[in-house]
Amino acid sequence: MKIPVLEVFGPTIQGEGAVIGRKTMFVRTAGCDFRCSWCDSKFTWDGTAKDDIRMMTAEDIFSELQAVGGNRFNHVTISGGNPALIKGIGSLVSLIHEHGFEVALETQGSKFQNWMTDIDQLTISPKPPSSQMIQDLTILDEVIQQLPQENISLKVVTFDETDYQFAKMIHQRYPDIKFYLQVGNPYLDDTVSHHTEKLLNHYERLIDRVMTDDTMNQVFVTPQLHTLLWSNKKGV
């Protein structure tokens, strides 16, 4: 079964969630069932990169990972879009594990695949109101219930107080799952000046908000690390 691939790049650092800062290779797949208003990877679903999609076998993808990354990696992040839509990713996960490497993946929790139980670091990122998407919590419950708790974490991106309240609701709904609160990036236009400084100001405000909230004592408050370093540059 072939996998629609848009990018294979790295090694670089993982910029989000429980594996933030981790040296990794990336495989970016095409396709998503959401259309988030602030998505920084719209090219995975809006058709603008349709000519760049390659239908690849697991063996093809792993060969390209080795060609690009050499012996400089032992961790692979599968990204999107929403990779959880793709049944064939299970064969890629198995192949990566056969070589002794770990696999991370992020999904919004709208779809379950059996191979997701084999992901080493699985981030589930429900989408807040600012995304203009409606997260089906019943489906989210079903997805989470089928996954090994020790391998998963939750992450919510926040842009405003409404998003923050959504994040609190998600954290309280699943209090025993490690929870990451991440500041959103509203500056998707590359012409924006002082991008890093502006993002850090948002990050500081989010930290200040959490510090005064006794219902958020167990959360991790993180930036989107790669945007601080490289703004909206692709392939890093």
Side-chain angles (χ1 to χ4, degrees), residues 1-2 4 13-14 22 57 66 80 96 99 125 139 155 158 187 197 213-214 221-222:
M1 191 176 294
K2 293 189 176 182
I13 57 162
Q14 172 57 254
R22 177 71 187 263
T57 65
Q66 290 182 307
I96 294 170
H99 286 79
S125 183
I139 293 176
K155 185 196 76 179
T158 64
Y187 307 116
E197 181 182 348
D213 190 341
D214 62 4
V221 188
T222 63

Side-chain angles (χ1 to χ4, degrees), residues 137-152:
L137 297 183
T138 300
I139 293 176
L140 182 61
D141 288 343
E142 293 171 356
V143 169
I144 288 175
Q145 287 166 6
Q146 296 178 83
L147 293 167
Q149 301 287 291
E150 63 273 14
N151 291 354
I152 66 175

Side-chain angles (χ1 to χ4, degrees), residues 123-124 126 144 152-156 170 174 177-180:
T123 300
I124 299 175
I144 288 175
I152 66 175
S153 61
L154 284 158
K155 185 196 76 179
V156 175
I170 293 293
Y174 312 102
I177 299 177
K178 192 173 288 187
F179 189 85
Y180 291 80

